[in-house]
Amino acid sequence: MDREHGEHLTRTTERGSFCVALCSCGWKGPARRSRDRARTDAQEHETAPGAAA
Ligand SMILES: [Zn+2]
């Protein structure tokens, strides 16, 4: 990925009964049963994009 375009615009999307966090950089969080948890995944990714999931 191109580090110079370090903008991370996250959103969450429903996937069946799960909710998944997505980012403009192509990152995707794990499927969560809770939308709040998926949103937390997204925030953690924005805070530390390079961190391991
Ligand atoms: Zn990202």
Side-chain angles (χ1 to χ4, degrees):
M1 278 294 143
D2 190 346
R3 284 174 162 270
E4 298 199 298
H5 296 84
E7 197 168 22
H8 292 275
L9 299 174
T10 56
R11 61 196 171 90
T12 57
T13 186
E14 308 276 336
R15 187 161 297 177
S17 58
F18 293 91
C19 195
V20 180
L22 301 173
C23 182
S24 58
C25 75
W27 173 88
K28 186 178 71 176
R32 302 292 192 184
R33 291 184 182 276
S34 160
R35 186 181 299 175
D36 280 349
R37 191 67 186 85
R39 197 172 295 141
T40 299
D41 288 335
Q43 287 174 351
E44 287 176 356
H45 171 72
E46 287 188 36
T47 303

mmCIF file of all heavy atoms in Angstrom:
data_model
loop_
_atom_site.group_PDB
_atom_site.id
_atom_site.type_symbol
_atom_site.label_atom_id
_atom_site.label_comp_id
_atom_site.label_asym_id
_atom_site.label_seq_id
_atom_site.Cartn_x
_atom_site.Cartn_y
_atom_site.Cartn_z
ATOM 1 N N MET A 1 0.825 -1.207 0.000
ATOM 2 C CA MET A 1 0.000 0.000 0.000
ATOM 3 C C MET A 1 0.860 1.258 0.000
ATOM 4 O O MET A 1 1.980 1.254 0.478
ATOM 5 C CB MET A 1 -0.902 0.018 1.235
ATOM 6 C CG MET A 1 -2.171 -0.819 1.048
ATOM 7 S SD MET A 1 -3.250 -0.129 -0.208
ATOM 8 C CE MET A 1 -3.849 -1.634 -0.953
ATOM 9 N N ASP A 2 0.298 2.315 -0.524
ATOM 10 C CA ASP A 2 1.028 3.580 -0.640
ATOM 11 C C ASP A 2 0.920 4.357 0.662
ATOM 12 O O ASP A 2 -0.135 4.831 1.035
ATOM 13 C CB ASP A 2 0.443 4.383 -1.802
ATOM 14 C CG ASP A 2 1.295 5.586 -2.122
ATOM 15 O OD1 ASP A 2 2.161 5.942 -1.305
ATOM 16 O OD2 ASP A 2 1.096 6.165 -3.184
ATOM 17 N N ARG A 3 2.014 4.497 1.351
ATOM 18 C CA ARG A 3 1.999 5.153 2.650
ATOM 19 C C ARG A 3 1.753 6.654 2.538
ATOM 20 O O ARG A 3 1.409 7.305 3.511
ATOM 21 C CB ARG A 3 3.327 4.922 3.364
ATOM 22 C CG ARG A 3 3.411 3.513 3.931
ATOM 23 C CD ARG A 3 4.781 3.254 4.505
ATOM 24 N NE ARG A 3 4.767 2.099 5.417
ATOM 25 C CZ ARG A 3 4.525 2.216 6.726
ATOM 26 N NH1 ARG A 3 4.292 3.382 7.259
ATOM 27 N NH2 ARG A 3 4.522 1.144 7.481
ATOM 28 N N GLU A 4 2.005 7.229 1.386
ATOM 29 C CA GLU A 4 1.843 8.672 1.254
ATOM 30 C C GLU A 4 0.372 9.085 1.203
ATOM 31 O O GLU A 4 0.041 10.230 1.445
ATOM 32 C CB GLU A 4 2.575 9.164 0.007
ATOM 33 C CG GLU A 4 4.072 8.900 0.119
ATOM 34 C CD GLU A 4 4.852 9.760 -0.828
ATOM 35 O OE1 GLU A 4 4.661 9.625 -2.041
ATOM 36 O OE2 GLU A 4 5.651 10.568 -0.355
ATOM 37 N N HIS A 5 -0.471 8.146 0.864
ATOM 38 C CA HIS A 5 -1.901 8.420 0.898
ATOM 39 C C HIS A 5 -2.465 7.767 2.150
ATOM 40 O O HIS A 5 -3.121 6.740 2.092
ATOM 41 C CB HIS A 5 -2.583 7.893 -0.363
ATOM 42 C CG HIS A 5 -2.112 8.589 -1.597
ATOM 43 N ND1 HIS A 5 -0.987 8.219 -2.264
ATOM 44 C CD2 HIS A 5 -2.608 9.665 -2.249
ATOM 45 C CE1 HIS A 5 -0.816 9.041 -3.301
ATOM 46 N NE2 HIS A 5 -1.778 9.922 -3.311
ATOM 47 N N GLY A 6 -2.150 8.388 3.262
ATOM 48 C CA GLY A 6 -2.448 7.760 4.545
ATOM 49 C C GLY A 6 -3.821 8.077 5.079
ATOM 50 O O GLY A 6 -4.027 8.069 6.272
ATOM 51 N N GLU A 7 -4.747 8.366 4.205
ATOM 52 C CA GLU A 7 -6.079 8.665 4.688
ATOM 53 C C GLU A 7 -6.869 7.375 4.861
ATOM 54 O O GLU A 7 -6.912 6.548 3.958
ATOM 55 C CB GLU A 7 -6.800 9.589 3.713
ATOM 56 C CG GLU A 7 -8.000 10.243 4.337
ATOM 57 C CD GLU A 7 -8.534 11.366 3.468
ATOM 58 O OE1 GLU A 7 -8.270 11.367 2.262
ATOM 59 O OE2 GLU A 7 -9.201 12.241 3.995
ATOM 60 N N HIS A 8 -7.454 7.231 6.011
ATOM 61 C CA HIS A 8 -8.208 6.016 6.308
ATOM 62 C C HIS A 8 -9.640 6.397 6.625
ATOM 63 O O HIS A 8 -9.946 6.868 7.715
ATOM 64 C CB HIS A 8 -7.575 5.267 7.483
ATOM 65 C CG HIS A 8 -6.228 4.697 7.134
ATOM 66 N ND1 HIS A 8 -6.091 3.478 6.518
ATOM 67 C CD2 HIS A 8 -4.987 5.198 7.280
ATOM 68 C CE1 HIS A 8 -4.814 3.254 6.311
ATOM 69 N NE2 HIS A 8 -4.122 4.276 6.763
ATOM 70 N N LEU A 9 -10.478 6.218 5.643
ATOM 71 C CA LEU A 9 -11.893 6.529 5.809
ATOM 72 C C LEU A 9 -12.637 5.222 6.038
ATOM 73 O O LEU A 9 -12.792 4.419 5.119
ATOM 74 C CB LEU A 9 -12.424 7.240 4.561
ATOM 75 C CG LEU A 9 -11.730 8.569 4.243
ATOM 76 C CD1 LEU A 9 -12.233 9.123 2.919
ATOM 77 C CD2 LEU A 9 -11.943 9.577 5.347
ATOM 78 N N THR A 10 -13.033 5.023 7.249
ATOM 79 C CA THR A 10 -13.657 3.749 7.603
ATOM 80 C C THR A 10 -15.178 3.861 7.603
ATOM 81 O O THR A 10 -15.752 4.929 7.782
ATOM 82 C CB THR A 10 -13.196 3.277 8.988
ATOM 83 O OG1 THR A 10 -13.470 4.281 9.944
ATOM 84 C CG2 THR A 10 -11.706 2.968 8.984
ATOM 85 N N ARG A 11 -15.783 2.720 7.405
ATOM 86 C CA ARG A 11 -17.240 2.606 7.514
ATOM 87 C C ARG A 11 -17.539 1.184 7.945
ATOM 88 O O ARG A 11 -16.661 0.324 7.929
ATOM 89 C CB ARG A 11 -17.918 2.935 6.185
ATOM 90 C CG ARG A 11 -17.521 2.007 5.056
ATOM 91 C CD ARG A 11 -17.901 2.604 3.708
ATOM 92 N NE ARG A 11 -17.341 1.811 2.617
ATOM 93 C CZ ARG A 11 -17.981 0.780 2.054
ATOM 94 N NH1 ARG A 11 -19.169 0.443 2.479
ATOM 95 N NH2 ARG A 11 -17.419 0.100 1.086
ATOM 96 N N THR A 12 -18.775 0.965 8.283
ATOM 97 C CA THR A 12 -19.176 -0.392 8.634
ATOM 98 C C THR A 12 -20.280 -0.823 7.687
ATOM 99 O O THR A 12 -21.053 -0.008 7.193
ATOM 100 C CB THR A 12 -19.678 -0.482 10.091
ATOM 101 O OG1 THR A 12 -20.755 0.415 10.285
ATOM 102 C CG2 THR A 12 -18.560 -0.160 11.066
ATOM 103 N N THR A 13 -20.314 -2.097 7.418
ATOM 104 C CA THR A 13 -21.326 -2.630 6.511
ATOM 105 C C THR A 13 -21.899 -3.912 7.084
ATOM 106 O O THR A 13 -21.192 -4.663 7.762
ATOM 107 C CB THR A 13 -20.725 -2.874 5.109
ATOM 108 O OG1 THR A 13 -21.764 -3.251 4.222
ATOM 109 C CG2 THR A 13 -19.661 -3.945 5.123
ATOM 110 N N GLU A 14 -23.162 -4.122 6.811
ATOM 111 C CA GLU A 14 -23.818 -5.349 7.260
ATOM 112 C C GLU A 14 -23.467 -6.487 6.315
ATOM 113 O O GLU A 14 -23.392 -6.302 5.095
ATOM 114 C CB GLU A 14 -25.345 -5.154 7.252
ATOM 115 C CG GLU A 14 -25.810 -3.920 7.998
ATOM 116 C CD GLU A 14 -25.956 -4.163 9.485
ATOM 117 O OE1 GLU A 14 -26.135 -5.329 9.871
ATOM 118 O OE2 GLU A 14 -25.869 -3.196 10.251
ATOM 119 N N ARG A 15 -23.234 -7.630 6.900
ATOM 120 C CA ARG A 15 -22.987 -8.815 6.069
ATOM 121 C C ARG A 15 -23.740 -9.970 6.704
ATOM 122 O O ARG A 15 -23.249 -10.588 7.634
ATOM 123 C CB ARG A 15 -21.496 -9.085 5.969
ATOM 124 C CG ARG A 15 -21.185 -10.183 4.985
ATOM 125 C CD ARG A 15 -19.743 -10.127 4.548
ATOM 126 N NE ARG A 15 -19.434 -8.897 3.832
ATOM 127 C CZ ARG A 15 -18.236 -8.562 3.380
ATOM 128 N NH1 ARG A 15 -17.234 -9.363 3.596
ATOM 129 N NH2 ARG A 15 -18.039 -7.444 2.742
ATOM 130 N N GLY A 16 -24.952 -10.194 6.210
ATOM 131 C CA GLY A 16 -25.814 -11.156 6.874
ATOM 132 C C GLY A 16 -26.137 -10.652 8.269
ATOM 133 O O GLY A 16 -26.532 -9.505 8.434
ATOM 134 N N SER A 17 -25.944 -11.481 9.260
ATOM 135 C CA SER A 17 -26.201 -11.075 10.635
ATOM 136 C C SER A 17 -24.961 -10.483 11.281
ATOM 137 O O SER A 17 -24.956 -10.174 12.463
ATOM 138 C CB SER A 17 -26.695 -12.278 11.446
ATOM 139 O OG SER A 17 -25.751 -13.316 11.409
ATOM 140 N N PHE A 18 -23.904 -10.299 10.497
ATOM 141 C CA PHE A 18 -22.659 -9.756 11.005
ATOM 142 C C PHE A 18 -22.454 -8.332 10.523
ATOM 143 O O PHE A 18 -23.096 -7.882 9.576
ATOM 144 C CB PHE A 18 -21.471 -10.612 10.559
ATOM 145 C CG PHE A 18 -21.472 -11.982 11.161
ATOM 146 C CD1 PHE A 18 -22.086 -13.035 10.511
ATOM 147 C CD2 PHE A 18 -20.865 -12.213 12.383
ATOM 148 C CE1 PHE A 18 -22.108 -14.312 11.071
ATOM 149 C CE2 PHE A 18 -20.874 -13.481 12.944
ATOM 150 C CZ PHE A 18 -21.494 -14.527 12.293
ATOM 151 N N CYS A 19 -21.529 -7.648 11.158
ATOM 152 C CA CYS A 19 -21.157 -6.314 10.741
ATOM 153 C C CYS A 19 -19.635 -6.291 10.582
ATOM 154 O O CYS A 19 -18.903 -6.842 11.398
ATOM 155 C CB CYS A 19 -21.595 -5.296 11.786
ATOM 156 S SG CYS A 19 -21.577 -3.616 11.163
ATOM 157 N N VAL A 20 -19.184 -5.665 9.496
ATOM 158 C CA VAL A 20 -17.768 -5.660 9.172
ATOM 159 C C VAL A 20 -17.312 -4.223 8.974
ATOM 160 O O VAL A 20 -18.012 -3.432 8.344
ATOM 161 C CB VAL A 20 -17.491 -6.470 7.893
ATOM 162 C CG1 VAL A 20 -16.007 -6.461 7.548
ATOM 163 C CG2 VAL A 20 -17.998 -7.890 8.031
ATOM 164 N N ALA A 21 -16.130 -3.892 9.494
ATOM 165 C CA ALA A 21 -15.548 -2.581 9.269
ATOM 166 C C ALA A 21 -14.715 -2.612 7.991
ATOM 167 O O ALA A 21 -13.964 -3.567 7.754
ATOM 168 C CB ALA A 21 -14.665 -2.196 10.458
ATOM 169 N N LEU A 22 -14.872 -1.560 7.175
ATOM 170 C CA LEU A 22 -14.109 -1.439 5.935
ATOM 171 C C LEU A 22 -13.374 -0.113 5.931
ATOM 172 O O LEU A 22 -13.823 0.851 6.543
ATOM 173 C CB LEU A 22 -15.050 -1.480 4.729
ATOM 174 C CG LEU A 22 -15.920 -2.723 4.564
ATOM 175 C CD1 LEU A 22 -16.898 -2.509 3.416
ATOM 176 C CD2 LEU A 22 -15.065 -3.945 4.325
ATOM 177 N N CYS A 23 -12.253 -0.052 5.205
ATOM 178 C CA CYS A 23 -11.499 1.189 5.103
ATOM 179 C C CYS A 23 -11.195 1.505 3.641
ATOM 180 O O CYS A 23 -11.088 0.609 2.803
ATOM 181 C CB CYS A 23 -10.205 1.072 5.906
ATOM 182 S SG CYS A 23 -9.241 2.595 5.883
ATOM 183 N N SER A 24 -11.019 2.797 3.368
ATOM 184 C CA SER A 24 -10.706 3.242 2.010
ATOM 185 C C SER A 24 -9.364 2.701 1.530
ATOM 186 O O SER A 24 -9.102 2.669 0.332
ATOM 187 C CB SER A 24 -10.703 4.768 1.961
ATOM 188 O OG SER A 24 -9.765 5.273 2.892
ATOM 189 N N CYS A 25 -8.510 2.261 2.447
ATOM 190 C CA CYS A 25 -7.202 1.736 2.059
ATOM 191 C C CYS A 25 -7.286 0.280 1.625
ATOM 192 O O CYS A 25 -6.315 -0.283 1.144
ATOM 193 C CB CYS A 25 -6.207 1.874 3.210
ATOM 194 S SG CYS A 25 -6.446 0.691 4.547
ATOM 195 N N GLY A 26 -8.445 -0.317 1.787
ATOM 196 C CA GLY A 26 -8.604 -1.713 1.414
ATOM 197 C C GLY A 26 -8.629 -2.648 2.604
ATOM 198 O O GLY A 26 -8.906 -3.832 2.453
ATOM 199 N N TRP A 27 -8.357 -2.103 3.768
ATOM 200 C CA TRP A 27 -8.404 -2.921 4.982
ATOM 201 C C TRP A 27 -9.828 -3.364 5.280
ATOM 202 O O TRP A 27 -10.784 -2.636 4.997
ATOM 203 C CB TRP A 27 -7.836 -2.105 6.141
ATOM 204 C CG TRP A 27 -7.975 -2.754 7.483
ATOM 205 C CD1 TRP A 27 -7.108 -3.625 8.074
ATOM 206 C CD2 TRP A 27 -9.052 -2.545 8.427
ATOM 207 N NE1 TRP A 27 -7.584 -3.977 9.307
ATOM 208 C CE2 TRP A 27 -8.774 -3.332 9.551
ATOM 209 C CE3 TRP A 27 -10.216 -1.783 8.403
ATOM 210 C CZ2 TRP A 27 -9.607 -3.365 10.662
ATOM 211 C CZ3 TRP A 27 -11.061 -1.818 9.503
ATOM 212 C CH2 TRP A 27 -10.750 -2.608 10.626
ATOM 213 N N LYS A 28 -9.958 -4.535 5.837
ATOM 214 C CA LYS A 28 -11.269 -5.038 6.241
ATOM 215 C C LYS A 28 -11.133 -5.695 7.593
ATOM 216 O O LYS A 28 -10.213 -6.486 7.820
ATOM 217 C CB LYS A 28 -11.762 -6.048 5.207
ATOM 218 C CG LYS A 28 -13.173 -6.528 5.460
ATOM 219 C CD LYS A 28 -13.632 -7.492 4.388
ATOM 220 C CE LYS A 28 -12.908 -8.829 4.501
ATOM 221 N NZ LYS A 28 -13.394 -9.822 3.534
ATOM 222 N N GLY A 29 -12.012 -5.344 8.480
ATOM 223 C CA GLY A 29 -11.979 -5.927 9.816
ATOM 224 C C GLY A 29 -12.675 -7.271 9.856
ATOM 225 O O GLY A 29 -13.309 -7.680 8.884
ATOM 226 N N PRO A 30 -12.550 -7.935 10.978
ATOM 227 C CA PRO A 30 -13.227 -9.221 11.147
ATOM 228 C C PRO A 30 -14.731 -9.039 11.269
ATOM 229 O O PRO A 30 -15.199 -7.982 11.684
ATOM 230 C CB PRO A 30 -12.623 -9.772 12.440
ATOM 231 C CG PRO A 30 -12.194 -8.562 13.204
ATOM 232 C CD PRO A 30 -11.794 -7.534 12.176
ATOM 233 N N ALA A 31 -15.468 -10.061 10.907
ATOM 234 C CA ALA A 31 -16.926 -10.021 11.042
ATOM 235 C C ALA A 31 -17.298 -10.027 12.519
ATOM 236 O O ALA A 31 -16.770 -10.819 13.301
ATOM 237 C CB ALA A 31 -17.541 -11.221 10.324
ATOM 238 N N ARG A 32 -18.174 -9.113 12.875
ATOM 239 C CA ARG A 32 -18.599 -8.988 14.270
ATOM 240 C C ARG A 32 -20.105 -9.152 14.358
ATOM 241 O O ARG A 32 -20.829 -8.723 13.467
ATOM 242 C CB ARG A 32 -18.223 -7.589 14.795
ATOM 243 C CG ARG A 32 -16.750 -7.263 14.721
ATOM 244 C CD ARG A 32 -15.954 -8.123 15.674
ATOM 245 N NE ARG A 32 -14.582 -7.608 15.806
ATOM 246 C CZ ARG A 32 -13.647 -8.238 16.525
ATOM 247 N NH1 ARG A 32 -13.915 -9.367 17.135
ATOM 248 N NH2 ARG A 32 -12.446 -7.731 16.603
ATOM 249 N N ARG A 33 -20.546 -9.681 15.457
ATOM 250 C CA ARG A 33 -21.982 -9.772 15.672
ATOM 251 C C ARG A 33 -22.549 -8.426 16.090
ATOM 252 O O ARG A 33 -23.742 -8.194 15.958
ATOM 253 C CB ARG A 33 -22.287 -10.812 16.745
ATOM 254 C CG ARG A 33 -21.983 -12.208 16.273
ATOM 255 C CD ARG A 33 -22.387 -13.223 17.333
ATOM 256 N NE ARG A 33 -22.061 -14.580 16.900
ATOM 257 C CZ ARG A 33 -22.867 -15.300 16.119
ATOM 258 N NH1 ARG A 33 -23.998 -14.804 15.715
ATOM 259 N NH2 ARG A 33 -22.518 -16.510 15.760
ATOM 260 N N SER A 34 -21.706 -7.571 16.609
ATOM 261 C CA SER A 34 -22.152 -6.275 17.117
ATOM 262 C C SER A 34 -21.625 -5.152 16.229
ATOM 263 O O SER A 34 -20.432 -5.106 15.920
ATOM 264 C CB SER A 34 -21.639 -6.092 18.551
ATOM 265 O OG SER A 34 -21.640 -4.730 18.900
ATOM 266 N N ARG A 35 -22.509 -4.241 15.851
ATOM 267 C CA ARG A 35 -22.070 -3.100 15.046
ATOM 268 C C ARG A 35 -21.136 -2.210 15.858
ATOM 269 O O ARG A 35 -20.198 -1.634 15.318
ATOM 270 C CB ARG A 35 -23.277 -2.300 14.567
ATOM 271 C CG ARG A 35 -22.888 -1.197 13.603
ATOM 272 C CD ARG A 35 -24.087 -0.398 13.155
ATOM 273 N NE ARG A 35 -25.060 -1.251 12.449
ATOM 274 C CZ ARG A 35 -26.245 -0.823 12.038
ATOM 275 N NH1 ARG A 35 -26.609 0.405 12.277
ATOM 276 N NH2 ARG A 35 -27.049 -1.642 11.407
ATOM 277 N N ASP A 36 -21.408 -2.094 17.153
ATOM 278 C CA ASP A 36 -20.522 -1.297 17.997
ATOM 279 C C ASP A 36 -19.100 -1.855 17.978
ATOM 280 O O ASP A 36 -18.128 -1.111 17.946
ATOM 281 C CB ASP A 36 -21.036 -1.280 19.446
ATOM 282 C CG ASP A 36 -22.165 -0.286 19.637
ATOM 283 O OD1 ASP A 36 -22.411 0.523 18.718
ATOM 284 O OD2 ASP A 36 -22.800 -0.333 20.695
ATOM 285 N N ARG A 37 -18.999 -3.174 17.991
ATOM 286 C CA ARG A 37 -17.675 -3.804 17.989
ATOM 287 C C ARG A 37 -16.972 -3.559 16.653
ATOM 288 O O ARG A 37 -15.772 -3.284 16.612
ATOM 289 C CB ARG A 37 -17.836 -5.310 18.244
ATOM 290 C CG ARG A 37 -16.519 -5.986 18.522
ATOM 291 C CD ARG A 37 -15.952 -5.507 19.851
ATOM 292 N NE ARG A 37 -14.617 -6.047 20.075
ATOM 293 C CZ ARG A 37 -13.508 -5.485 19.591
ATOM 294 N NH1 ARG A 37 -13.575 -4.390 18.881
ATOM 295 N NH2 ARG A 37 -12.338 -6.013 19.849
ATOM 296 N N ALA A 38 -17.722 -3.625 15.561
ATOM 297 C CA ALA A 38 -17.138 -3.352 14.245
ATOM 298 C C ALA A 38 -16.674 -1.902 14.163
ATOM 299 O O ALA A 38 -15.623 -1.605 13.588
ATOM 300 C CB ALA A 38 -18.165 -3.651 13.145
ATOM 301 N N ARG A 39 -17.448 -1.008 14.768
ATOM 302 C CA ARG A 39 -17.059 0.404 14.751
ATOM 303 C C ARG A 39 -15.788 0.611 15.570
ATOM 304 O O ARG A 39 -14.944 1.418 15.219
ATOM 305 C CB ARG A 39 -18.215 1.250 15.311
ATOM 306 C CG ARG A 39 -18.091 2.709 14.965
ATOM 307 C CD ARG A 39 -19.346 3.464 15.377
ATOM 308 N NE ARG A 39 -20.519 3.033 14.620
ATOM 309 C CZ ARG A 39 -21.744 2.889 15.135
ATOM 310 N NH1 ARG A 39 -21.945 3.119 16.411
ATOM 311 N NH2 ARG A 39 -22.739 2.524 14.380
ATOM 312 N N THR A 40 -15.674 -0.144 16.650
ATOM 313 C CA THR A 40 -14.448 -0.069 17.451
ATOM 314 C C THR A 40 -13.259 -0.577 16.645
ATOM 315 O O THR A 40 -12.178 0.014 16.674
ATOM 316 C CB THR A 40 -14.605 -0.895 18.743
ATOM 317 O OG1 THR A 40 -15.679 -0.356 19.499
ATOM 318 C CG2 THR A 40 -13.335 -0.840 19.567
ATOM 319 N N ASP A 41 -13.447 -1.647 15.894
ATOM 320 C CA ASP A 41 -12.388 -2.144 15.008
ATOM 321 C C ASP A 41 -11.958 -1.046 14.050
ATOM 322 O O ASP A 41 -10.762 -0.838 13.816
ATOM 323 C CB ASP A 41 -12.880 -3.341 14.196
ATOM 324 C CG ASP A 41 -13.038 -4.594 15.034
ATOM 325 O OD1 ASP A 41 -12.359 -4.712 16.066
ATOM 326 O OD2 ASP A 41 -13.833 -5.456 14.637
ATOM 327 N N ALA A 42 -12.928 -0.341 13.477
ATOM 328 C CA ALA A 42 -12.634 0.725 12.525
ATOM 329 C C ALA A 42 -11.828 1.835 13.196
ATOM 330 O O ALA A 42 -10.855 2.335 12.634
ATOM 331 C CB ALA A 42 -13.935 1.268 11.951
ATOM 332 N N GLN A 43 -12.221 2.207 14.398
ATOM 333 C CA GLN A 43 -11.514 3.282 15.102
ATOM 334 C C GLN A 43 -10.096 2.868 15.451
ATOM 335 O O GLN A 43 -9.162 3.665 15.350
ATOM 336 C CB GLN A 43 -12.286 3.672 16.363
ATOM 337 C CG GLN A 43 -13.551 4.466 16.021
ATOM 338 C CD GLN A 43 -14.410 4.747 17.241
ATOM 339 O OE1 GLN A 43 -14.167 4.224 18.319
ATOM 340 N NE2 GLN A 43 -15.430 5.568 17.048
ATOM 341 N N GLU A 44 -9.942 1.622 15.847
ATOM 342 C CA GLU A 44 -8.600 1.128 16.156
ATOM 343 C C GLU A 44 -7.730 1.132 14.901
ATOM 344 O O GLU A 44 -6.541 1.444 14.954
ATOM 345 C CB GLU A 44 -8.683 -0.276 16.741
ATOM 346 C CG GLU A 44 -9.222 -0.268 18.151
ATOM 347 C CD GLU A 44 -9.392 -1.680 18.700
ATOM 348 O OE1 GLU A 44 -9.165 -2.644 17.945
ATOM 349 O OE2 GLU A 44 -9.746 -1.791 19.876
ATOM 350 N N HIS A 45 -8.320 0.797 13.770
ATOM 351 C CA HIS A 45 -7.580 0.808 12.515
ATOM 352 C C HIS A 45 -7.170 2.232 12.144
ATOM 353 O O HIS A 45 -6.040 2.462 11.723
ATOM 354 C CB HIS A 45 -8.410 0.187 11.401
ATOM 355 C CG HIS A 45 -7.789 0.372 10.054
ATOM 356 N ND1 HIS A 45 -6.660 -0.319 9.659
ATOM 357 C CD2 HIS A 45 -8.091 1.200 9.041
ATOM 358 C CE1 HIS A 45 -6.324 0.077 8.450
ATOM 359 N NE2 HIS A 45 -7.171 1.009 8.041
ATOM 360 N N GLU A 46 -8.066 3.181 12.312
ATOM 361 C CA GLU A 46 -7.735 4.580 12.015
ATOM 362 C C GLU A 46 -6.628 5.083 12.916
ATOM 363 O O GLU A 46 -5.783 5.868 12.504
ATOM 364 C CB GLU A 46 -8.979 5.466 12.177
ATOM 365 C CG GLU A 46 -9.997 5.271 11.059
ATOM 366 C CD GLU A 46 -11.121 6.297 11.145
ATOM 367 O OE1 GLU A 46 -10.865 7.447 11.519
ATOM 368 O OE2 GLU A 46 -12.264 5.931 10.850
ATOM 369 N N THR A 47 -6.647 4.646 14.156
ATOM 370 C CA THR A 47 -5.651 5.084 15.123
ATOM 371 C C THR A 47 -4.288 4.463 14.857
ATOM 372 O O THR A 47 -3.252 5.112 14.939
ATOM 373 C CB THR A 47 -6.116 4.716 16.546
ATOM 374 O OG1 THR A 47 -7.386 5.315 16.770
ATOM 375 C CG2 THR A 47 -5.131 5.234 17.576
ATOM 376 N N ALA A 48 -4.303 3.174 14.507
ATOM 377 C CA ALA A 48 -3.066 2.443 14.285
ATOM 378 C C ALA A 48 -3.224 1.544 13.065
ATOM 379 O O ALA A 48 -3.399 0.341 13.189
ATOM 380 C CB ALA A 48 -2.715 1.617 15.517
ATOM 381 N N PRO A 49 -3.175 2.142 11.864
ATOM 382 C CA PRO A 49 -3.434 1.384 10.627
ATOM 383 C C PRO A 49 -2.465 0.232 10.417
ATOM 384 O O PRO A 49 -2.800 -0.725 9.724
ATOM 385 C CB PRO A 49 -3.296 2.422 9.511
ATOM 386 C CG PRO A 49 -3.484 3.731 10.200
ATOM 387 C CD PRO A 49 -2.941 3.546 11.575
ATOM 388 N N GLY A 50 -1.264 0.345 10.967
ATOM 389 C CA GLY A 50 -0.272 -0.693 10.714
ATOM 390 C C GLY A 50 -0.332 -1.840 11.705
ATOM 391 O O GLY A 50 0.366 -2.827 11.537
ATOM 392 N N ALA A 51 -1.168 -1.687 12.730
ATOM 393 C CA ALA A 51 -1.215 -2.701 13.760
ATOM 394 C C ALA A 51 -1.830 -3.994 13.234
ATOM 395 O O ALA A 51 -2.702 -3.976 12.392
ATOM 396 C CB ALA A 51 -2.016 -2.197 14.957
ATOM 397 N N ALA A 52 -1.386 -5.080 13.780
ATOM 398 C CA ALA A 52 -1.946 -6.380 13.394
ATOM 399 C C ALA A 52 -3.369 -6.480 13.897
ATOM 400 O O ALA A 52 -3.706 -5.934 14.946
ATOM 401 C CB ALA A 52 -1.098 -7.504 13.952
ATOM 402 N N ALA A 53 -4.193 -7.196 13.170
ATOM 403 C CA ALA A 53 -5.606 -7.309 13.541
ATOM 404 C C ALA A 53 -5.746 -8.169 14.789
ATOM 405 O O ALA A 53 -4.994 -9.122 14.951
ATOM 406 C CB ALA A 53 -6.391 -7.930 12.391
HETATM 407 ZN ZN ZN B 1 -7.100 2.048 6.319
#
